[in-house]
Amino acid sequence: MGDRVAKDALFDGFSEVAKALASGRRAEIIDVLTQGERSVEGIAAELDQSVANTSHHLRALARAGLVTTRREGTRIFYSVASERVAELWTALRDVAVEHVAGLERLAGAYLGDRDGVETVDRDELAARLKRGEVLVVDVRPEAEYAAGHITGARSVPLGELRKQLKALPKGVDVVAYCRGPYCVYADDAVRELRRRGFAARRLVEGFPEWKRAGLPVAVGV
């Protein structure tokens, strides 16, 4: 039978992953990296943090084995270490929503009133895409679209949506998606599209969940 000291050390080792994620900024970094590889500078800009502070968090995630690095000249790029890390983040998020008191209230404060934001699940969207009945717009930053997107989706970053409205065909249903169920980009896109007369809904989840479901994805622009 194994001794107590060895068992304690083993479970302390398991807990290193939890400790690495015991920061809202690190959790947000993992959320960003589940969309695709990003540079340190890109992650810092996304989090509105300094490069030095972002690098500190990334080193903690790397020590726990949750992210990997790639160097290109003087720039360092980070990725999640495996698809299991993305699955872990999704499970952590979903457990928190179900069991942590007040989390839905916090989500509501961030996302705003969702009463006018209609949704579509991925199975319905996949079927309608196959039949050519819907226009899908990816409102994430272009770098995330290039790293991977729903096959057939058009890249329309939220900041460029108003500029591109004239190029969108009228009379067709539009579905917007972004990073996941708690990504505000798709909600904002649906509100803007509906104000401009489009029949628009948002995908309930986001690109990572679509990809893990084995549904068609593409890379590049």
Side-chain angles (χ1 to χ4, degrees):
M1 180 181 294
D3 63 29
R4 182 75 252 175
V5 172
K7 186 174 184 180
D8 286 349
L10 173 63
F11 278 79
D12 285 345
F14 292 151
S15 74
E16 289 301 312
V17 170
K19 285 196 288 186
L21 288 172
S23 157
R25 300 298 70 69
R26 292 175 201 162
E28 189 177 356
I29 287 171
I30 294 295
D31 187 52
V32 170
L33 292 181
T34 59
Q35 313 300 317
E37 180 185 71
R38 296 290 286 273
S39 68
V40 177
E41 295 81 5
I43 298 167
E46 186 68 44
L47 271 63
D48 196 21
Q49 299 277 307
S50 69
V51 170
N53 193 42
T54 302
S55 295
H56 168 76
H57 288 308
L58 285 164
R59 286 193 295 271
L61 291 168
R63 285 194 298 271
L66 297 177
V67 300
T68 58
T69 64
R70 177 180 68 84
R71 183 178 288 275
E72 188 175 291
T74 59
R75 302 182 74 195
I76 299 176
F77 293 82
Y78 281 83
S79 304
V80 290
S82 71
E83 196 61 33
R84 297 300 301 277
V85 176
E87 293 170 4
L88 171 66
W89 161 238
T90 298
L92 186 155
R93 183 194 67 203
D94 292 349
V95 168
V97 168
E98 187 170 344
H99 295 286
V100 176
L103 234 165
E104 284 294 348
R105 176 180 54 79
L106 295 174
Y110 170 60
L111 296 166
D113 184 3
R114 280 182 148 179
D115 287 346
V117 180
E118 297 182 20
T119 60
V120 57
D121 65 38
R122 61 174 179 255
D123 291 334
E124 180 185 348
L125 179 57
R128 298 196 67 194
L129 258 175
K130 192 173 182 179
R131 296 193 297 267
E133 297 175 350
V134 65
L135 171 66
V136 179
V137 293
D138 183 323
V139 295
R140 300 174 300 161
E142 191 172 301
E144 295 178 16
Y145 176 87
H149 56 270
I150 293 174
T151 299
R154 181 182 299 191
S155 178
V156 186
L158 183 62
E160 299 177 16
L161 178 61
R162 291 186 180 180
K163 295 179 185 176
Q164 296 197 33
L165 281 174
K166 290 182 179 178
L168 298 181
K170 293 284 188 179
V172 63
D173 288 347
V174 181
V175 173
Y177 75 89
C178 54
R179 293 171 175 163
Y182 296 94
C183 175
V184 74
Y185 298 153
D187 292 58
D188 289 347
V190 169
R191 293 185 185 103
E192 180 65 21
L193 286 163
R194 291 177 68 86
R195 278 196 294 268
R196 301 302 181 99
F198 290 87
R201 293 189 285 173
R202 68 159 284 156
L203 180 62
V204 172
E205 295 173 318
F207 176 71
E209 293 83 5
W210 177 277
K211 181 181 178 181
R212 284 200 298 276
L215 293 166
V217 301
V219 297
V221 295

